[in-house]
Amino acid sequence: VGDVAQSVKFYSSLFGAEPTVAKPDYAKWMLDDPRVNFSIVPGGAKTGVHHLGIQAESGEELETVLERFASADTATVAQPSATCCYAKSDKGWAQDPQGIKWEAFHTYGENATFGRDRSPGNAPVAEAKAVKAGGCCGASA
C-alpha cells in the first residue's frame, strides 16, 4: 500500500473491525465473518496484490494444502521455519498459470520484527529454488 495508516482507516471501516495486528509498517485483520486473513505492507514503487494465501490451522492441514499445490501440476517451493510479517510459520509457495503467487502457511509463533529478507514469495516460483528460505513473504529485497 502507499500509506499504511490511511489504508488501515479504510480497511477498518470496510471490515467493521480494527486490525488484529497493527504496526507502523504492517496491519493484519483476522476476520470471522467473512473468514478472511488480510494484511497490508508499504508497497514501495509498485502497489497492488503481492500474493494470495491459504492459512492452515495445523501442520497436518498445511501438508494437505501443499499436496494440493503439487497435484495442480505447478512448481512448488517449501519454506519451513520462516520468520516474516511478525510471525513464525512453516509455509510453501506455488504459482498459478497467470503468474499469481500463492502462499500456504501454518503460523506457530510471533516475531518481534517484520523482517525484509528475500524469500521464495518474492521470486517467480520457477526461480525460487535458488532463493534462500527463511525470509519474509511480503517485502521485496
Side-chain angles (χ1 to χ4, degrees):
V1 298
D3 183 314
V4 172
Q6 184 180 28
S7 294
V8 165
K9 183 177 178 181
F10 173 82
Y11 287 113
S12 293
S13 179
L14 176 67
F15 297 143
E18 293 299 314
T20 306
V21 177
K23 307 285 184 180
D25 60 345
Y26 176 81
K28 177 179 180 178
W29 290 259
M30 297 279 294
L31 306 172
D32 289 325
D33 186 19
R35 184 115 169 109
V36 173
N37 175 331
F38 179 82
S39 63
I40 58 175
V41 297
K46 182 179 177 187
T47 58
V49 174
H50 182 272
H51 67 276
L52 302 172
I54 298 170
Q55 182 172 347
E57 298 298 321
S58 68
E60 293 80 20
E61 185 179 352
L62 176 61
E63 287 302 316
T64 299
V65 175
L66 296 178
E67 288 169 7
R68 291 179 186 163
F69 279 177
S71 71
D73 196 29
T74 185
T76 60
V77 175
Q79 189 182 13
S81 303
T83 301
C84 79
C85 302
Y86 298 99
K88 295 178 182 179
S89 306
D90 289 327
K91 50 179 75 183
W93 297 87
Q95 190 167 304
D96 79 6
Q98 289 74 40
I100 297 172
K101 292 174 282 190
W102 280 86
E103 170 192 20
F105 62 98
H106 171 243
T107 298
Y108 54 81
E110 294 183 16
N111 194 56
T113 60
F114 184 80
R116 293 194 181 272
D117 295 335
R118 189 166 166 85
S119 77
N122 295 317
V125 172
E127 299 170 13
K129 292 183 181 182
V131 178
K132 180 181 175 186
C136 181
C137 63
S140 298

